[in-house]
Amino acid sequence: MDLNRRNFLKFTVATGTMGAASAVQKVKASTPKPDSGDWAGVLLDTTVCIGCRKCEWACKNINKLPTEPIESYEDKSVFKKMRRPSAGAYTVVNQFENPKSPEKPYYVKYQCMQCIDAACVSACIVGALKKDAKTGAVIYDPWKCIGCRYCMVACPFQIPAYEYDNALTPQVRKSTFCYQRLSKYQGRPACVEICPVQAMTYGKRSELIEIARQKIRTYPDRYVDHIYGEHELGGTAWLYLSGKPMTEMGMKKFGERPIPTYTEPVQHGIFKHFVPQISLFALLGGIMWLFKKRDEVEGKREGGEE
């Protein structure tokens, strides 16, 4: 085919339009699915947790992260300061005062909350983060990740961490709910499995909510009448029972509306109305550059230059 200027222009504009349309479809396709009720969850009773931190060790062990011997986790000095999950520790336990019984402080485990309508999934422009349709776990594909770290900005719980000290193959790091154990071996997350006092209960999220409500009804003096994670930001797979408000133990107060319901209309609008134009301008710029170079070469030949 004779690739003259007119044919080349038709081909490149058509290709650019298809690519832009594809980008829009990818963004729309990333919209999380609603909670099916059968997705997995964990109910954490903070009035039962004893702060042994074996869950921290189990998490590092199952994810092949560097860790000290499990005996070293008996060190209570770590509770002198508040800690956050990091690229080297996907879950941490913090200590809080118990006004009802000062000799028995509360302990709260933090990790990825596995939001039902996850902001990190919605923010990921390449689909590196996605919800597993069967378990509801937010899973991560490092091969797709481009390191934009939009997920870190989007997460309302400030959980995803980045391997800044890994110069060659940095990844976004967070708990994936032991996704492989759940899907392949019908197992439980490693932290749940190792807990010596069964402070964590694994099961279907809908059933865990019923268990939590029953506990609140049975022991109204023990628990505040609120299941943290049932409705916050559309709900999370991790659910908390507590003796005092979770907002007094490191958790933020949120409304019920998921963050993607605020951000996705904007995202879709940008891709729908902005990207095609940008793509077209980029293509036209490329075409102009190519033909300018060809004209320069032809001009040199006509002038007798080699």
Side-chain angles (χ1 to χ4, degrees):
M1 181 178 72
D2 181 19
L3 190 62
N4 56 31
R5 186 178 302 217
R6 177 171 296 179
N7 287 336
F8 182 68
L9 180 62
K10 288 179 179 178
F11 172 77
T12 49
V13 169
T15 303
T17 303
M18 290 172 62
S22 175
V24 173
Q25 291 301 318
K26 285 181 179 179
V27 170
K28 289 183 176 178
S30 69
T31 304
K33 302 292 186 298
D35 181 13
S36 67
D38 288 334
W39 278 353
V42 173
L43 174 62
L44 197 162
D45 190 335
T46 60
T47 68
V48 175
C49 180
I50 58 175
C52 68
R53 299 172 55 223
K54 286 185 171 58
C55 54
E56 293 185 14
W57 178 87
C59 182
K60 287 188 176 183
N61 187 53
I62 200 70
N63 287 292
K64 297 181 171 51
L65 296 172
T67 183
E68 300 295 326
I70 192 170
E71 293 79 13
S72 67
Y73 285 75
E74 296 176 2
D75 178 17
K76 304 297 183 184
S77 64
V78 297
F79 294 134
K80 292 180 180 178
K81 62 179 181 180
M82 293 295 107
R83 298 177 298 150
R84 297 287 307 171
S86 66
Y90 302 164
T91 186
V92 297
V93 177
N94 286 324
Q95 184 186 73
F96 296 89
E97 293 181 354
N98 180 353
K100 298 177 183 176
S101 184
E103 71 280 6
K104 294 181 180 179
Y106 292 130
Y107 297 96
V108 178
K109 176 181 179 297
Y110 301 91
Q111 68 293 303
C112 172
M113 296 290 285
Q114 308 292 338
C115 300
I116 302 303
D117 196 349
C120 61
V121 173
S122 177
C124 184
I125 59 177
V126 294
L129 288 164
K130 66 178 183 179
K131 294 285 286 185
D132 175 54
K134 185 176 181 180
T135 65
V138 177
I139 57 180
Y140 173 68
D141 185 347
W143 292 102
K144 291 183 179 179
C145 182
I146 58 174
C148 68
R149 287 162 282 165
Y150 289 167
C151 55
M152 297 172 64
V153 177
C155 178
F157 297 99
Q158 300 178 324
I159 292 296
Y162 195 67
E163 293 180 314
Y164 289 103
D165 57 350
N166 183 349
L168 299 178
T169 57
Q171 295 183 19
V172 171
R173 292 293 196 175
K174 72 170 198 67
S175 164
T176 57
F177 213 35
C178 285
Y179 158 72
Q180 293 182 332
R181 290 166 62 89
L182 305 184
S183 59
K184 292 184 179 179
Y185 308 112
Q186 299 298 314
R188 299 178 295 173
C191 57
V192 175
E193 198 164 282
I194 200 172
C195 182
V197 294
Q198 298 181 336
M200 291 173 277
T201 304
Y202 171 78
K204 291 182 180 178
R205 184 175 181 273
S206 56
E207 295 175 355
L208 295 176
I209 290 173
E210 289 305 314
I211 293 173
R213 288 174 179 166
Q214 182 60 44
K215 281 191 170 187
I216 292 173
R217 284 194 295 269
T218 306
Y219 306 104
D221 295 334
R222 182 170 184 170
Y223 301 107
V224 296
D225 187 12
H226 183 76
I227 307 168
Y228 190 90
E230 180 181 6
H231 298 298
E232 277 76 9
L233 298 173
T236 60
W238 279 85
L239 304 164
Y240 290 78
L241 281 174
S242 58
K244 68 178 185 181
M246 289 299 297
T247 50
E248 297 177 12
M249 296 195 290
M251 292 295 192
K252 295 180 180 178
K253 184 177 182 179
F254 294 112
E256 297 185 4
R257 186 175 170 185
I259 287 179
T261 63
Y262 294 98
T263 58
E264 287 193 352
V266 178
Q267 287 176 272
H268 293 168
I270 290 173
F271 275 83
K272 184 177 181 180
H273 301 296
F274 189 62
V275 169
Q277 285 84 343
I278 291 294
S279 301
L280 181 59
F281 293 149
L283 286 166
L284 291 175
I287 294 167
M288 292 174 64
W289 181 83
L290 286 172
F291 280 105
K292 182 181 179 183
K293 293 292 290 184
R294 194 181 71 173
D295 290 342
E296 289 178 353
V297 172
E298 290 177 350
K300 289 180 179 179
R301 286 176 180 169
E302 290 172 359
E305 297 180 20
E306 294 185 0

